[in-house]
mmCIF file of all heavy atoms in Angstrom:
data_model
loop_
_atom_site.group_PDB
_atom_site.id
_atom_site.type_symbol
_atom_site.label_atom_id
_atom_site.label_comp_id
_atom_site.label_asym_id
_atom_site.label_seq_id
_atom_site.Cartn_x
_atom_site.Cartn_y
_atom_site.Cartn_z
ATOM 1 N N ASN J 90 82.099 136.527 49.368
ATOM 2 C CA ASN J 90 82.508 137.121 50.728
ATOM 3 C C ASN J 90 81.137 137.408 51.440
ATOM 4 O O ASN J 90 80.358 138.216 50.877
ATOM 5 C CB ASN J 90 83.372 138.270 50.608
ATOM 6 C CG ASN J 90 83.794 138.821 51.976
ATOM 7 O OD1 ASN J 90 83.382 138.413 53.050
ATOM 8 N ND2 ASN J 90 84.800 139.755 51.928
ATOM 9 N N PRO J 91 80.949 136.928 52.613
ATOM 10 C CA PRO J 91 79.567 137.232 53.368
ATOM 11 C C PRO J 91 79.465 138.692 53.569
ATOM 12 O O PRO J 91 78.312 139.177 53.662
ATOM 13 C CB PRO J 91 79.835 136.547 54.725
ATOM 14 C CG PRO J 91 80.818 135.479 54.477
ATOM 15 C CD PRO J 91 81.759 135.934 53.409
ATOM 16 N N THR J 92 80.576 139.537 53.609
ATOM 17 C CA THR J 92 80.394 140.961 53.769
ATOM 18 C C THR J 92 80.565 141.594 52.379
ATOM 19 O O THR J 92 80.715 142.950 52.278
ATOM 20 C CB THR J 92 81.485 141.577 54.710
ATOM 21 O OG1 THR J 92 82.753 141.424 54.002
ATOM 22 C CG2 THR J 92 81.498 140.933 56.049
ATOM 23 N N GLY J 93 80.473 140.820 51.279
ATOM 24 C CA GLY J 93 80.757 141.296 49.984
ATOM 25 C C GLY J 93 79.713 142.290 49.371
ATOM 26 O O GLY J 93 79.950 142.876 48.265
ATOM 27 N N ASP J 94 78.574 142.456 50.101
ATOM 28 C CA ASP J 94 77.568 143.337 49.505
ATOM 29 C C ASP J 94 77.835 144.890 49.974
ATOM 30 O O ASP J 94 77.281 145.729 49.354
ATOM 31 C CB ASP J 94 76.120 142.993 50.177
ATOM 32 C CG ASP J 94 75.601 141.786 49.498
ATOM 33 O OD1 ASP J 94 76.194 141.285 48.479
ATOM 34 O OD2 ASP J 94 74.631 141.244 49.963
ATOM 35 N N ILE J 95 78.743 145.012 50.972
ATOM 36 C CA ILE J 95 78.911 146.303 51.509
ATOM 37 C C ILE J 95 80.407 146.744 51.506
ATOM 38 O O ILE J 95 81.255 145.946 51.262
ATOM 39 C CB ILE J 95 78.335 146.505 52.924
ATOM 40 C CG1 ILE J 95 79.057 145.402 53.891
ATOM 41 C CG2 ILE J 95 76.818 146.252 52.962
ATOM 42 C CD1 ILE J 95 80.213 145.876 54.569
ATOM 43 N N GLU J 96 80.618 148.037 51.803
ATOM 44 C CA GLU J 96 81.937 148.495 51.992
ATOM 45 C C GLU J 96 81.828 149.610 53.012
ATOM 46 O O GLU J 96 80.712 150.068 53.264
ATOM 47 C CB GLU J 96 82.633 148.936 50.715
ATOM 48 C CG GLU J 96 81.906 150.160 50.092
ATOM 49 C CD GLU J 96 82.467 150.383 48.671
ATOM 50 O OE1 GLU J 96 83.276 149.625 48.096
ATOM 51 O OE2 GLU J 96 82.113 151.497 48.045
ATOM 52 N N ILE J 97 82.998 150.102 53.518
ATOM 53 C CA ILE J 97 83.014 151.168 54.434
ATOM 54 C C ILE J 97 83.584 152.461 53.794
ATOM 55 O O ILE J 97 84.651 152.368 53.318
ATOM 56 C CB ILE J 97 83.943 150.810 55.734
ATOM 57 C CG1 ILE J 97 83.551 149.399 56.252
ATOM 58 C CG2 ILE J 97 83.656 151.864 56.861
ATOM 59 C CD1 ILE J 97 82.156 149.213 56.682
ATOM 60 N N ILE J 98 82.777 153.443 53.814
ATOM 61 C CA ILE J 98 83.289 154.797 53.290
ATOM 62 C C ILE J 98 84.027 155.341 54.598
ATOM 63 O O ILE J 98 83.379 155.895 55.536
ATOM 64 C CB ILE J 98 82.108 155.682 52.976
ATOM 65 C CG1 ILE J 98 81.155 155.024 51.876
ATOM 66 C CG2 ILE J 98 82.725 157.013 52.324
ATOM 67 C CD1 ILE J 98 81.862 154.612 50.648
ATOM 68 N N VAL J 99 85.313 155.293 54.549
ATOM 69 C CA VAL J 99 86.127 155.588 55.716
ATOM 70 C C VAL J 99 86.308 157.106 55.945
ATOM 71 O O VAL J 99 86.502 157.862 54.919
ATOM 72 C CB VAL J 99 87.502 154.949 55.554
ATOM 73 C CG1 VAL J 99 88.376 155.253 56.756
ATOM 74 C CG2 VAL J 99 87.392 153.441 55.363
ATOM 75 N N SER J 100 86.073 157.491 57.165
ATOM 76 C CA SER J 100 86.216 158.940 57.479
ATOM 77 C C SER J 100 87.457 159.099 58.397
ATOM 78 O O SER J 100 87.882 160.179 58.587
ATOM 79 C CB SER J 100 84.939 159.503 58.078
ATOM 80 O OG SER J 100 84.645 158.652 59.169
ATOM 81 N N GLU J 101 87.913 158.093 59.015
ATOM 82 C CA GLU J 101 89.089 158.153 59.927
ATOM 83 C C GLU J 101 89.856 156.900 59.891
ATOM 84 O O GLU J 101 89.378 155.816 59.930
ATOM 85 C CB GLU J 101 88.569 158.422 61.364
ATOM 86 C CG GLU J 101 89.748 158.638 62.341
ATOM 87 C CD GLU J 101 89.265 158.728 63.874
ATOM 88 O OE1 GLU J 101 88.062 159.224 64.046
ATOM 89 O OE2 GLU J 101 89.964 158.355 64.712
ATOM 90 N N LEU J 102 91.159 157.039 59.732
ATOM 91 C CA LEU J 102 92.056 155.914 59.629
ATOM 92 C C LEU J 102 93.147 156.085 60.671
ATOM 93 O O LEU J 102 93.875 157.012 60.703
ATOM 94 C CB LEU J 102 92.638 155.827 58.214
ATOM 95 C CG LEU J 102 93.693 154.716 57.921
ATOM 96 C CD1 LEU J 102 92.997 153.316 58.001
ATOM 97 C CD2 LEU J 102 94.285 154.965 56.525
ATOM 98 N N ASN J 103 93.351 155.028 61.524
ATOM 99 C CA ASN J 103 94.480 155.044 62.522
ATOM 100 C C ASN J 103 95.295 153.793 62.281
ATOM 101 O O ASN J 103 94.731 152.638 62.289
ATOM 102 C CB ASN J 103 93.838 155.040 63.913
ATOM 103 C CG ASN J 103 92.984 156.224 64.136
ATOM 104 O OD1 ASN J 103 93.430 157.394 63.929
ATOM 105 N ND2 ASN J 103 91.831 156.053 64.665
#
Side-chain angles (χ1 to χ4, degrees):
Chain J
N90 185 348
T92 66
D94 286 349
I95 58 93
E96 63 190 8
I97 312 299
I98 309 299
V99 179
S100 53
E101 183 185 331
L102 175 67
N103 300 309

